[in-house]
Each structure stands twice: as C-alpha cells, then as structure tokens.
Amino acid sequence: SKSAPDPGPVTLPTPLYVILDRGVAGGRDLATLLDAVLEGGCRVVQLRDKTMPLNDLYSVARALRRRCREAACLFIVNDRVDLALALEADGVHVGQDDLPARDARRLLRPGMILGVSTHDEGQARRARDDGADYVAVGSMYPTGSKPVFRLVGPELIRRVRPEIPVPLVAIGGITVDNVADVIQAGADAVAVISAVCAAPDPAVAARRFLETIRAAREGHPR
C-alpha cells in the first residue's frame, strides 16, 4: 500500500498569530475574545493555559476548536499533545521545557502542525531538524506575559532566516509600534498575547496589526 503523500510545507493563513491566554485576557470570556480576533481578520490562534484543570480546559478548548473550524482558522494547542490529539486540533506548540519536539512529531497525526519555541540559533536549527512546521523565535522585546524570558531582539530573526526554510514566527513584546521592524528582519508572522488579548478592543487591535504588517511588507518586499 502506498504511503500518504507529504502534505508539503505549512503556510500560515495570516501573518498575525494570536495566543489566547485567560490570565492575560483579564478574565474575558475566551469564546468572546476568539470572535473578536476572528472579526479582526486573524486566522491562526493558540490556546495557552497552564493552570486550568484538564477536564475544564477540554470543554473550553472544544468550543474554541469548533468555532475555529467554522471560520477556517488554524487552532493550535500549547504544550499538551494529548489535548491536541483528543480535540483533533490543527496542531500543537511546544517550548524548550515541554515534550521534546522530535517526540511530539512522532505522536502527532499526519498533517498536524508542530510549532517550536526557540531562543538561539542552535535551538532554531534543532527545531527545523526535529520536524517543526514553523519555528517561533523570541523574545523580540521585553514582555510581561512570561515572568522569565530571554531577550534576543529582531537580530536573531536576521541570523536564522537563511537557515530556516519553514515559517519564522516572532514572539515577545510585539506591538503595533514595533511590528514593522520584526517583519522587515525576516519574520513570516508575529505571535502576540497581551497586545490583542488585553487590548480595549481586540478586533480593532488585530486589524491594526494586519494593516501594519501589510504596509511593512509592501515597503520591504522579500
């Protein structure tokens, strides 16, 4: 029997990737927040929650997954390969302290997306070699979303860009005011948490990010 064809490289449907985090959202309902993010034009989201009991998280995640499917939005689960599989999510995102990327790749179903957080060139190369479909690089700027972060700046994007054939996603302290620098450094997309989740109007915030990214790309075509 012939093996399934390789689905080919992943392309992210929008250059804005919003991480839904209850803590950062200040108690906002995540389903309402997701609707606002979708209204703003974002079509890649990740659910990130380190504290909710798994049974409760599963119920929340299932509703978000359903809404993402209706909207043709990629739904990525942070950290939990088991939850991603149970939900039939589009993929999972792992950090350097989570299940190793190589093992996560082995557990995922064919076609599921694997994203990996990296903080230096060595980690970015390893993520590529371990089968990452996109490589996240950060922290670009100081961030309050993580109590401990490694500041690497857009310069790291420039350094790893020639070696990483999959999408590079910049993360950490990115705002509408600095996102152009990150895109011009070579990022394919930016992941944001507080800049959208904690914004007074998340839909407007998402839309402004997409407009600013588009303008940055037009000014510096790659």
Side-chain angles (χ1 to χ4, degrees):
S1 65
K2 291 199 317 195
S3 60
D6 178 15
V10 164
T11 54
L12 299 175
T14 52
L16 177 66
Y17 178 162
V18 174
I19 299 173
L20 304 173
D21 184 303
R22 228 169 18 119
V24 176
R28 273 185 176 137
D29 175 65
L30 288 188
T32 306
L33 181 57
L34 173 60
D35 279 340
V37 166
L38 294 172
E39 185 192 329
C42 174
R43 287 297 179 272
V44 194
V45 301
Q46 178 190 131
L47 175 61
R48 176 178 182 259
D49 194 300
K50 307 283 189 182
T51 59
M52 194 184 286
L54 184 56
N55 191 43
D56 297 339
L57 185 58
Y58 179 75
S59 298
V60 170
R62 194 170 51 179
L64 298 177
R65 170 74 183 108
R66 192 180 308 121
R67 181 72 185 94
C68 282
R69 199 169 271 171
E70 290 166 2
C73 174
L74 288 181
F75 182 70
I76 309 291
V77 172
N78 180 273
D79 186 12
R80 300 294 302 250
V81 174
D82 54 349
L83 184 60
L85 288 167
L87 290 166
E88 297 186 2
D90 294 300
V92 71
H93 183 96
V94 295
Q96 294 297 315
D97 299 325
D98 298 326
L99 186 70
R102 188 177 295 257
D103 296 311
R105 175 86 278 164
R106 200 164 40 82
L107 293 169
L108 294 180
R109 295 189 187 101
M112 285 182 78
I113 294 166
L114 175 64
V116 183
S117 289
T118 67
H119 314 288
D120 59 41
E121 289 115 310
Q123 290 177 358
R125 288 186 207 107
R126 194 176 321 118
R128 172 200 66 196
D129 296 345
D130 286 346
D133 293 297
Y134 70 82
V135 175
V137 179
S139 183
M140 293 292 105
Y141 303 102
T143 173
S145 299
K146 283 202 164 190
V148 179
F149 64 88
R150 196 186 311 178
L151 188 61
V152 298
E155 188 49 44
L156 184 58
I157 295 277
R158 286 192 191 88
R159 291 204 304 270
V160 301
R161 176 75 277 176
E163 298 185 62
I164 306 297
V166 297
L168 277 177
V169 178
I171 187 168
I174 297 169
T175 67
V176 168
D177 295 329
N178 61 31
V179 68
D181 294 339
V182 175
I183 293 297
Q184 288 161 8
D188 297 290
V190 297
V192 300
I193 308 178
S194 54
V196 169
C197 290
D201 188 328
V204 168
R207 200 171 296 120
R208 281 191 65 209
F209 262 108
L210 287 166
E211 288 166 358
T212 308
I213 290 167
R214 194 174 306 118
R217 283 180 166 172
E218 286 167 3
H220 288 71
R222 282 185 39 235

